[in-house]
């Protein structure tokens, strides 16, 4: 079983739709959850991070974590064509020496159609 | 703040040849990461440095891949000899530290390697 599972899509939605992107993880020791956005031929860029269960909102984006189900989600409201990208969930765990290890999901490719 | 710089952007080589990638992290970032991203997949960690020491290289194919970070700043990743399955984007990332909740990874735009 992979540490982080993510539906690769692609996901195609009309402009203005609400988008839901999801990941599941296997290790309950994971504490810090991130969403990265990756445009074509670019490196991933951090979108949001959270380390607690519940919701965290930033503009049109909401990150949701359910630690009891080991499930994380990213919601995009009023989706725009500029949101077309691959969205990667990422999870941090700690090495025994206190260093962080960041593991990524496979990414979900999103296309927002004008 | 200047971002993570990587070069070259693209490289095409034949199998069994060697290749090297260079990364310059954000100034002051102690931790440097090399990830491999195969088309349609998420980034996979190859090696992680804390200053110039290796924290994790468990997924680095050491028979053909090597990496160094001299003086705790720039880093190079080398492949020798390359195989067809090494075709991927090689991403370098850095973080201010690797402890604490506010140390996200900042990525460069990667080097796209094609092995023919």
């Amino acid at each position: 079983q992979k540490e982080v599972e993510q539906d690769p899509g692609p996901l195609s939605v009309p402009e203005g739709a609400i988008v839901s992107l999801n990941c599941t993880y296997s290790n309950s020791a994971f504490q810090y959850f991130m969403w990265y956005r990756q445009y074509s031929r670019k490196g991933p860029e951090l979108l949001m991070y959270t380390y607690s269960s519940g919701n965290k909102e930033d503009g049109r984006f909401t990150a949701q974590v359910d630690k009891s189900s080991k499930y994380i989600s990213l919601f995009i409201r009023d989706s725009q064509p500029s949101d077309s990208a691959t969205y990667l969930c990422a999870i941090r765990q700690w090495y025994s020496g206190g260093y962080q290890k960041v593991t990524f999901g496979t990414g979900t490719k999103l296309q927002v159609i004008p | 703040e200047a971002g993570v710089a990587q070069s070259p952007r693209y490289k095409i080589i034949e199998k069994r040849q060697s290749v090297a990638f260079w990364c310059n992290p954000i100034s002051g970032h102690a931790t440097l990461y090399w990830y491999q991203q195969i088309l349609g997949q998420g980034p996979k960690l190859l090696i992680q440095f804390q200053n110039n020491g290796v924290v994790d290289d468990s997924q680095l194919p050491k028979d053909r891949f090597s990496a160094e970070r001299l003086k705790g700043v720039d880093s190079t990743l080398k492949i020798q000899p390359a195989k067809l399955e090494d075709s991927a984007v090689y991403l370098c990332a850095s973080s201010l530290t690797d402890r604490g909740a506010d140390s996200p990874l900042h990525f460069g735009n990667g080097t796209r390697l094609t092995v023919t």
Side-chain angles (χ1 to χ4, degrees):
Chain A
Q1 183 185 13
K2 289 185 177 180
E3 288 187 303
V4 184
E5 301 268 8
Q6 186 175 7
D7 186 340
L11 182 61
S12 185
V13 302
E15 183 176 353
I18 296 174
V19 177
S20 172
L21 303 166
N22 308 296
C23 280
T24 59
Y25 61 95
S26 58
N27 190 338
S28 57
F30 291 144
Q31 298 178 328
Y32 182 44
F33 309 93
M34 297 165 277
W35 285 95
Y36 280 80
R37 178 174 60 195
Q38 186 174 24
Y39 290 114
S40 180
R41 302 189 181 275
K42 296 289 188 181
E45 56 177 341
L46 182 68
L47 200 56
M48 296 184 70
Y49 66 84
T50 183
Y51 52 92
S52 58
S53 284
N55 295 347
K56 180 178 180 180
E57 196 171 310
D58 184 0
R60 296 184 296 110
F61 298 90
T62 299
Q64 186 178 79
V65 176
D66 182 346
K67 289 186 177 180
S68 62
S69 302
K70 300 190 185 73
Y71 197 83
I72 62 173
S73 301
L74 178 70
F75 298 97
I76 307 174
R77 289 184 301 280
D78 187 25
S79 56
Q80 302 295 308
S82 58
D83 295 329
S84 298
T86 296
Y87 289 81
L88 298 155
C89 62
I91 296 172
R92 182 187 71 191
Q93 63 187 112
W94 296 109
Y95 290 113
S96 58
Y99 302 108
Q100 71 175 357
K101 176 180 179 180
V102 179
T103 303
F104 287 85
T106 54
T108 299
K109 188 171 185 177
L110 171 67
Q111 184 180 21
V112 180
I113 302 169
Chain B
E1 177 184 74
V4 176
Q6 289 190 249
S7 67
R9 283 300 312 274
Y10 306 93
K11 192 74 178 178
I12 301 174
I13 61 172
E14 295 182 352
K15 60 183 179 183
R16 292 188 289 275
Q17 286 187 325
S18 62
V19 63
F21 313 127
W22 174 82
C23 172
N24 180 238
I26 293 173
S27 178
H29 280 198
T31 311
L32 186 145
Y33 314 76
W34 282 103
Y35 281 86
Q36 179 193 58
Q37 187 174 25
I38 293 172
L39 186 65
Q41 298 182 21
K44 183 184 87 171
L45 180 69
L46 292 176
I47 189 167
Q48 178 175 338
F49 293 95
Q50 173 69 11
N51 295 311
N52 59 349
V54 175
V55 172
D56 183 359
D57 63 358
S58 59
Q59 297 194 87
L60 186 74
K62 299 180 186 63
D63 58 334
R64 297 184 301 105
F65 285 64
S66 64
E68 60 181 7
R69 189 182 185 198
L70 298 176
K71 299 181 181 178
V73 183
D74 293 6
S75 177
T76 55
L77 177 69
K78 297 179 181 177
I79 308 175
Q80 182 180 12
K83 293 185 175 181
L84 296 177
E85 59 259 37
D86 298 331
S87 294
V89 176
Y90 291 84
L91 294 163
C92 179
S94 68
S95 64
L96 183 61
T97 175
D98 58 3
R99 307 182 190 213
D102 57 352
S103 296
L105 275 61
H106 298 267
F107 283 86
N109 286 325
T111 296
R112 183 177 298 269
L113 174 67
T114 302
V115 182
T116 62

